[in-house]
Amino acid sequence: MGEAAPKKKIRLGDLLVEHQLISENQLMAALAEQKSTGLKLGRLLVEKGYVKEEQVLELVSSQLNIPYINLKQYKYDSDTIRLIPEMLARRYRSVALREERDGSLLVGMADATDIFAYDNLTKHLKRPISLAVVKESDIIEVIDLVYRKRDEISNLAEELQDELSETDIDLEQLVQSEDVANAPVVKLLQSIFEDAVQIGASDIHIEPDEQVLRIRMRIDGILQEQVMKEKRIAPALVSRLKLMSGLNISERRVPQDGRFNIRVHGRSVDVRLSTMPIQAGESVVMRLLDQSGGMLNLEQLGMSDHVLNRFRANITRPYGMVLVTGPTGSGKTTTLYSALTELNDSEKKIITVEDPVEYRLPRINQVQVNPRINLTFASVLRAALRQDPDIVLVGEMRDQETAEIGLRAAMTGHMVMSTLHTNDAISTVNRILDMGAEGYLVASALRAVVAQRLVRKVCENCKSLYTPFAQDIAIVSNLMKYDYRGATFFHGTGCTHCNNTGYNGRIGVFEFLEIDDTMADALRLSDASTFASHARQSEHFRSFAQHALEYAFKGITTIEEVLRVAGSIDDTTNNFESNDEINEDTGDIGINQDPPE
């Protein structure tokens, strides 16, 4: 593998200037800033945009005669990586990659010129090491994925179980003890939250069963489970979480809702908690909202250019109503907050009525509803309209009163945005009419409906070509009248990056329905059937399945995800009867042809 460590300390700045990757003036400016910040020179140069990180790493690799490894494409082993303790891995930005035949260890480092780190790692591992250059961001990602808290959670659960068995003290006394910072229950909760944030979980489910305790975390929309035999610790966990949420710890017969804020790995996380009495105790579900991640902009949501342009055109109107719909967890709130972030400026008065307020936004007046003191959506919305707003966001249209107030506000000079829980864009109008809203109000106020769902993205680290199952091809061909011969598809084979699921991350798929005069006429008559027929025949309407198919053709998702998001057979077939124009975007994939044999 060549020389294990660099023979001499190389001067990175001089090398970059010598190879004309940066100028002398840029080097001087970065060195001056380094004195005040203490940051490493390479990182400063990259952050200031003077040079790309890959260029720096390739140059260091060449000068030191050591390999540059792209961790996203590298098939590493988790057990090998754990040979370096997490504390040292994070401190020195290093990962153990491979055990060599001569007994040495190949270690990837963000700064392969750090001789001090090299010496300490060699001393700790008690074996020779050889170096490779690796991107720092990739190292951090791998560390977060590999050094999970599963073992720690299990050990703490056992410790808590032993303590409960030996002392036989009241659980409420345990969670309220003065030495609470060292109580096993607190350590266990801390490990659970750290693990959830580390792997990007959106929800934590704590579910006692007859014999075991299940802790499940939702990652990319799919639950992953850890089963523990220490069922007796469940009441202690629930009681502590109730205390953190300000709930009644003695009430176990009725559901309760609360929230609290925690800091994990330097990130502020808002936790929405819901308890529910079940046969074996109390089930707890916690929704994690990372307040430090920043809001997405509209371009990052995954809308096609056409949908994005039309959505922007509608939310920037001076009045009217725009609805964002979809099932729970489909990203509705993210879309609306992204829209508000874009609209938020000093010239507009924006008021939101929410339950709960999920993200705090500057300059926007956000109101948390509280039915216990009659602070309902309808009452707050009436008060908000007396505050002279330009834009009003209603967290959810839940009843006839709220819907009618919102519709009338949209007719009288306000832009109103809200959400509904519906399966698709077309059924949204049926839902409003079923609530009791008058057809003429809906026709006059409603401008557009965006329905959305989330599909899982193929893991880029283990992405490979594959042929979908014959039955999947046949089903999709029959439903959507496509022949897939000649198309290429990708899936993930499974790796540590994606927890062996083949998927990593999610992206939105959208249906966008803009209300035209023909649809409005049908709404005035409250004729939902005629409205739906015109909507499907609308020139620009595209269903979830069509949007998801485009992602499958581009290798972003899989045919399995297309089928999952397509909905029922009848709905999908109806949505595709009049949408053959998608062929323009998908090249040589034919339409109305026989499915492949």
Side-chain angles (χ1 to χ4, degrees):
M1 296 296 298
E3 187 69 29
K7 292 180 179 179
K8 61 178 181 178
K9 181 73 173 177
I10 65 171
R11 294 174 61 88
L12 180 62
D14 293 340
L15 280 175
L16 291 169
V17 172
E18 180 184 337
H19 287 77
Q20 299 182 345
L21 294 175
I22 62 172
S23 67
E24 190 72 40
N25 289 337
Q26 289 173 331
L27 175 60
M28 293 298 104
L31 288 172
E33 188 170 334
Q34 185 186 30
K35 290 181 180 179
S36 60
T37 63
L39 294 175
K40 294 199 173 186
L41 180 62
R43 180 177 171 186
L44 266 175
L45 292 168
V46 172
E47 287 183 354
K48 296 177 76 66
Y50 293 158
V51 64
K52 293 182 179 178
E53 186 175 5
E54 289 81 0
Q55 293 176 305
V56 175
L57 296 179
E58 288 171 358
L59 180 60
V60 171
S61 168
S62 173
Q63 290 295 313
L64 297 180
N65 193 29
I66 59 177
Y68 164 49
I69 293 177
N70 182 355
L71 271 185
K72 291 190 179 299
Q73 305 297 326
Y74 189 81
K75 300 290 184 181
Y76 54 79
D77 177 69
S78 297
D79 291 334
T80 302
I81 287 182
R82 290 194 185 96
L83 291 174
I84 298 178
E86 181 180 4
M87 183 183 69
L88 294 181
R90 292 189 184 278
R91 178 186 299 171
Y92 300 129
R93 294 293 192 262
S94 58
V95 286
L97 297 175
R98 184 175 65 235
E99 295 190 73
E100 306 290 5
R101 292 181 179 178
D102 60 3
S104 65
L105 190 66
L106 177 64
V107 175
M109 295 184 65
D111 182 5
T113 66
D114 189 340
I115 299 176
F116 177 77
Y118 171 86
D119 288 341
N120 278 349
L121 287 173
T122 304
K123 186 182 302 182
H124 177 83
L125 293 167
K126 295 181 173 60
R127 62 198 293 186
I129 64 173
S130 54
L131 299 182
V133 184
V134 182
K135 283 179 67 173
E136 182 174 0
S137 58
D138 289 349
I139 288 178
I140 294 172
E141 182 180 343
V142 168
I143 288 174
D144 286 345
L145 287 166
V146 172
Y147 294 96
R148 291 192 55 185
K149 303 290 183 178
R150 284 181 176 271
D151 294 339
E152 184 177 328
I153 290 171
S154 296
N155 292 337
L156 286 169
E158 290 179 12
E159 182 181 342
L160 179 57
Q161 172 88 348
D162 293 341
E163 181 165 331
L164 292 175
S165 301
E166 293 170 6
T167 60
D168 198 28
I169 65 171
D170 183 68
L171 293 176
E172 294 175 12
Q173 293 179 11
L174 172 65
V175 297
Q176 297 181 74
S177 65
E178 293 182 3
D179 193 24
V180 74
N182 296 317
V185 66
V186 177
K187 290 182 180 179
L188 176 57
L189 285 173
Q190 181 181 3
S191 295
I192 290 172
F193 283 120
E194 286 179 352
D195 189 41
V197 171
Q198 199 163 288
I199 61 177
S202 60
D203 304 86
I204 302 173
H205 298 240
I206 298 176
E207 302 170 343
D209 208 335
E210 292 296 335
Q211 303 297 329
V212 297
L213 173 66
R214 304 180 194 278
I215 296 180
R216 302 201 283 173
M217 298 188 186
R218 192 178 298 278
I219 305 165
D220 292 339
I222 305 297
L223 286 170
Q224 296 182 9
E225 181 175 86
Q226 181 173 2
V227 178
M228 295 181 291
K229 63 181 182 297
E230 297 84 9
K231 176 186 176 291
R232 292 189 67 238
I233 71 174
L237 290 177
V238 175
S239 294
R240 183 63 202 170
L241 288 168
K242 283 182 176 180
L243 280 174
M244 294 166 69
S245 307
L247 302 180
N248 184 354
I249 61 174
S250 62
E251 180 57 78
R252 301 182 179 90
R253 301 165 299 171
V254 297
Q256 297 187 68
D257 295 313
R259 68 187 302 168
F260 57 91
N261 193 270
I262 56 173
R263 290 196 66 82
V264 182
H265 296 316
R267 295 156 68 177
S268 175
V269 179
D270 195 42
V271 182
R272 288 164 49 188
L273 177 141
S274 171
T275 71
M276 185 173 65
I278 60 176
Q279 192 66 31
E282 282 184 281
S283 167
V284 176
V285 176
M286 292 176 284
R287 183 84 179 271
L288 308 182
L289 301 168
D290 190 347
Q291 299 286 347
S292 59
M295 292 304 305
L296 297 176
N297 59 46
L298 289 177
E299 283 83 0
Q300 294 173 298
L301 296 177
M303 293 182 179
S304 65
D305 290 341
H306 167 73
V307 171
L308 180 59
N309 292 337
R310 296 312 307 154
F311 182 62
R312 270 205 175 105
N314 278 278
I315 63 175
T316 53
R317 291 184 180 213
Y319 56 87
M321 177 180 284
V322 175
L323 294 176
V324 179
T325 77
T328 301
S330 60
K332 301 185 298 295
T333 303
T334 300
T335 297
L336 284 179
Y337 273 103
S338 299
L340 285 185
T341 301
E342 185 161 306
L343 296 171
N344 187 11
D345 61 45
S346 59
E347 298 178 356
K348 296 185 180 72
K349 172 84 169 184
I350 302 177
I351 299 178
T352 73
V353 188
E354 305 173 68
D355 184 23
V357 175
E358 295 193 7
Y359 295 95
R360 277 72 170 178
L361 298 175
R363 200 187 289 116
I364 294 178
N365 298 267
Q366 297 174 270
V367 182
Q368 166 76 56
V369 303
N370 187 350
R372 285 180 292 183
I373 58 173
N374 201 33
L375 201 64
T376 62
F377 276 105
S379 62
V380 175
L381 187 51
R382 285 196 196 93
L385 294 177
R386 294 194 288 271
Q387 294 271 314
D388 188 30
D390 297 289
I391 300 167
V392 177
L393 184 148
V394 183
E396 184 182 348
M397 292 292 179
R398 292 186 176 177
D399 51 51
Q400 178 182 355
E401 186 180 14
T402 306
E404 289 194 345
I405 296 172
L407 289 166
R408 293 184 187 278
M411 293 172 58
T412 55
H414 305 89
M415 168 50 62
V416 179
M417 293 185 283
S418 187
T419 71
L420 271 178
H421 287 84
T422 61
N423 289 327
D424 53 46
I426 294 175
S427 64
T428 300
V429 174
N430 295 351
R431 175 76 188 282
I432 297 176
L433 295 175
D434 288 343
M435 281 182 178
E438 297 291 342
Y440 73 90
L441 280 178
V442 181
S444 301
L446 187 60
R447 295 287 177 260
V449 179
V450 178
Q452 65 183 77
R453 295 183 189 176
L454 297 174
V455 296
R456 292 181 292 169
K457 294 168 27 178
V458 175
C459 176
E460 291 293 332
N461 190 59
C462 58
K463 186 176 183 178
S464 63
L465 282 167
Y466 87 119
T467 302
F469 291 117
Q471 63 265 32
D472 292 343
I473 291 288
I475 292 171
V476 175
S477 296
N478 285 329
L479 291 178
M480 305 174 188
K481 300 179 175 60
Y482 283 93
D483 175 14
Y484 290 90
R485 283 170 291 200
T488 56
F489 298 100
F490 292 85
H491 74 159
T493 57
C495 65
T496 310
H497 278 276
C498 60
N499 207 20
N500 291 316
T501 63
Y503 297 98
N504 194 352
R506 292 186 291 176
I507 191 169
V509 291
F510 300 86
E511 287 182 353
F512 181 77
L513 181 62
E514 199 163 11
I515 310 302
D516 60 22
D517 292 340
T518 306
M519 292 183 230
D521 290 340
L523 287 176
R524 289 188 181 93
L525 300 173
S526 296
D527 188 348
S529 177
T530 302
F531 169 84
S533 177
H534 287 311
R536 290 190 185 99
Q537 295 171 20
S538 174
E539 179 183 358
H540 299 297
F541 177 72
R542 281 185 151 175
S543 71
F544 285 128
Q546 286 174 304
H547 195 182
L549 260 180
E550 293 176 11
Y551 285 147
F553 294 148
K554 295 175 183 177
I556 296 173
T557 191
T558 62
I559 285 291
E560 287 80 6
E561 283 292 283
V562 175
L563 290 171
R564 185 178 67 83
V565 83
S568 70
I569 292 177
D570 291 340
D571 289 343
T572 309
T573 304
N574 288 336
N575 286 343
F576 274 79
E577 284 177 352
S578 303
N579 286 283
D580 289 349
E581 73 273 14
I582 195 172
N583 186 53
E584 297 173 5
D585 297 330
T586 54
D588 60 350
I589 298 172
I591 293 178
N592 296 326
Q593 299 179 26
D594 294 331
E597 297 177 359

